[in-house]
Amino acid sequence: MEQRKEQQNLEFTMDNVEKALHQLYYDPNIENKNLAQKWLMQAQVSPQAWHFSWQLLNGGKVPEIQYFGASALHIKISRYWGDIPAEQYESLKTQLFAQISAFASGSKIVLTRLCVALASLALNMMPDTWPHAVPDMVRVFQTADGQADGGARCLALLELLTVLPEEFQTSRLPLYRKGQVRGCLSQECACVFPLLRQLLQQSDSPGFVKQKVLKCFSSWAQLMIPLTECEELTLAAFSALRDPELFDSAVEALVNTISQPDAQRYVHTLLKLIPQALSLQDQLRQAVQNGDIETSHGICRIIIALGENHSRALLDQVDHWQSFLALVNMIMFCTGIPGHYPVNETTSSLTLTFWYTLQDEILSFEAEKKEVYLQVYRPVYFQLVDVLLQKAQFPADDEYATWSSDEKEQFRIYRVDISDTLMYVYEMLGAELLSNLYDKLGRLLTTSEHPTSWQHTEALLYGFQSIAETIDVNYSDVVPGLIGLIPRISINNVQLADTVMFTIGALAEWLADHPVMISKVLPLVLHALGNPELSVSSVSTLKKICRECKYDLLPYAANIVAVSQDVLMKQIHKTSQCMWLMQALGFLLSALQVEEILTNLHSLITPYIQQLEKLADETPNPSNKLAIIHILGLLSNLFTTLDISHHDDDHEAVEVKKLPVVQGPNPVVLVLQQVFQLIRKVLSTWLNDAQVVEAVCAIFEKSVKTLLDDFAPMVPQLCEMLGQMYSTIPQASAIDLTRQMVHIFAHEPAHFPPIKALFLLVTSLTLNLFHQGIISLKFPEPPTVRATCGFFTEFLPRCSELAPVGQVVHDDGKILLQATLEGIGGQASRNHMEHFADILFSLNKHCFSYLAVWLKELMQQDGFPSPRLTQAQKDNFAQHILRERVNKRRVKDMVKEFTLLCRGLHGTEYTADY
């Protein structure tokens, strides 16, 4: 603590800065490092920085210290420009030029930082005070000064010209100035580009200079300079691709130049670039052949930049359709680049967005032009489907076994991207695409001469599934054939089995319209349920079938329930899949007669009820808690979908099949009434465990949501139980369930007494918990703090309407204000300041007279809400807050400023966030 105070009081001198930097870099104690860093940030923005920065740059000091001096200069110029008197501009400029010359042959990191500082100075002075900044820079560094040789001066100039546009992109210039300066810089390319061209084309220019030239061009290209101005340098950059030393820099320069949004206006220049791109084909093929991933990736980025950004402009040039088609075929080569993503290649994924873009442009043309381009590009897109399905194939089993889990996950995501692309391509190719896939699959499965690898079959099915998942295939004439082919697939592999399952799931809606085909695929799904490796695919597919085809599953219901019970008892599946399985059974049972529902429910639930009875008698411990939560979860998921009133069936096709609704108690209600006492018994043991209470509440919440009015017989019992639960230990899940009950039943006169009693009880108990709400403001978890602030901003406006609320605010509002100010003062994360500002605004708007008194009292306490504040700063904040009762945004800005003062961060780098 003492050290902290000493450090805070240190003068910002060169010696102290050097000591602090030494501490930052070499002190092993992390707390000392942090103290040094905090102090150095304050030093950088202090007025003394103008003095010690130049001293730190003196020769003989280590680069880390010199770098800090250069950084401090940059911060002062870029962020505190308004503090610099106009008469000092020239001397500042002269000093920076001198320092850059001095460091031209010195430390690279210090040179770059000094160049950034001079760039910032130039941007702040352009165009009025320093109209010819760029020509002046060129002139200064082309003049011999004896401090550095010509090569070093040339590199220093290139560094300065490179960072100038970069500094512009990140500068904090006001919007109108940004436009002014951008225009000024764009004109200066007339001075910069000839110099860059000369250096690039000079045969005696060393490779590292040419590399720097390309980086400089890349930086300027992002200033939206007309492509015509960049044309010669762009062509030179294409030539540079043949030099391995310049390849990476040339790629960046070309991608940045071609990707400018404005570039599409210069079609004449774009048409000159296509032959340049096509001339890279041999280099691309050679790179792929030699396994040179960097080169193939770089060339692909260039042709993608050309195709993706300018497909519209280039398609519009109908006379040049063949050269654009050649470019498209080159991109196709990149899509189909050999190897498995992401292990042997990473290039193909770059191309996927291009295929979306090209298709969108073709389909957006007027009818005649569209027809012409469809004739040209439909065959290309059929080829694309083949290429994508080839790329989606799994590698050989032994190779796949060597992949890391990260590589497998990247491949999974890549296949999802391919799936999305195929779904999109369907829009262009239509039903013919499905026929194409079906023919290929049929040939694979019926040809016996060449044994097929499972990977081929899986990829074709995956293509089918990708389309069927989102496109309505109900009218497709190939789906019956596909359903007929599926049982013929020899499933000897997990990935193939998974895709078969997902394909059947994707066709669930089609099966509902063609129930005669259910018998072909349901046995496969039920068989797969017993395999833990197929857990996700088999359970999700059964759930889809039970949801879509429930009125056609009567002949299979007993078998589905039996198999499901068996796998549940054997604990084959993880918790979430067990829950899905229960939802599937809920859908299935919804379509049966009430007697059958009850019979099935009895056999399904009885083992769990018996288990729960046993668990309820045991002394609480972590393992039986998990078992209880699991059983309660199974019940709530079953009741989520078991709906005999058919609330979910809103499409007319089902109306025909709907069974007459039987009058009488709902089966779910009957079951709940039977297990109600058991659930109460479980609750009495576990009432202080939020997770168990949540699981109990979930059963009733899901049931209420599904059954709506049918839940009525349970209302009195549940209201009574909820009241007792909340009175003993208030928990969030009980409030959520109360809200649900009030929403659904408060308007029914018959239910009004129990609902009213519950509502009054929960409200009065919650008002008594006001202090607990204030404590929640001090929690470290962001969602808790956000929710608490949200509660108070909803609560405070009611203080004038409702007497009990008014009383609570009168008694405890000052404590709320104190907690809010403590949070702003530094106890809470700065990310929460908007929410704390909402409380202040709400207090000001609805409790003004109280707030004025409380603020005055609290702000007179020493060191509150932060020891860093003066009384004047506190009074100023209080006055501003009390004055602002309309503009919430202003209050948020005030709080952000005030919290920085409280934390000693005002004017430091931390404020960059704002």
Side-chain angles (χ1 to χ4, degrees), residues 426-470:
Y426 181 84
E427 196 185 333
M428 184 183 249
L429 302 181
E432 204 183 327
L433 172 54
L434 290 178
S435 307
N436 184 292
L437 293 175
Y438 172 65
D439 291 345
K440 287 190 169 114
L441 189 63
R443 280 200 298 278
L444 271 185
L445 295 175
T446 53
T447 308
S448 50
E449 304 101 71
H450 307 291
T452 308
S453 72
W454 68 263
Q455 286 92 338
H456 275 106
T457 309
E458 190 279 335
L460 281 167
L461 266 186
Y462 184 69
F464 233 109
Q465 173 215 324
S466 302
I467 295 160
E469 246 170 358
T470 43

Side-chain angles (χ1 to χ4, degrees), residues 632-700:
L632 295 173
L634 291 174
L635 293 177
S636 65
N637 276 279
L638 178 65
F639 298 156
T640 300
T641 53
L642 210 172
D643 180 16
I644 62 166
S645 60
H646 313 296
H647 294 121
D648 288 344
D649 300 335
D650 52 2
H651 41 88
E652 292 169 28
V654 173
E655 296 296 326
V656 185
K657 300 179 180 178
K658 237 192 223 183
L659 301 168
V661 177
V662 180
Q663 292 305 307
N666 187 294
V668 172
V669 172
L670 289 172
V671 172
L672 284 175
Q673 286 173 329
Q674 286 167 14
V675 299
F676 196 79
Q677 291 312 318
L678 173 58
I679 288 174
R680 290 194 76 143
K681 187 177 178 184
V682 169
L683 257 185
S684 63
T685 314
W686 291 92
L687 197 53
N688 62 349
D689 189 292
Q691 288 168 297
V692 175
V693 172
E694 204 173 303
V696 167
C697 289
I699 288 183
F700 294 105

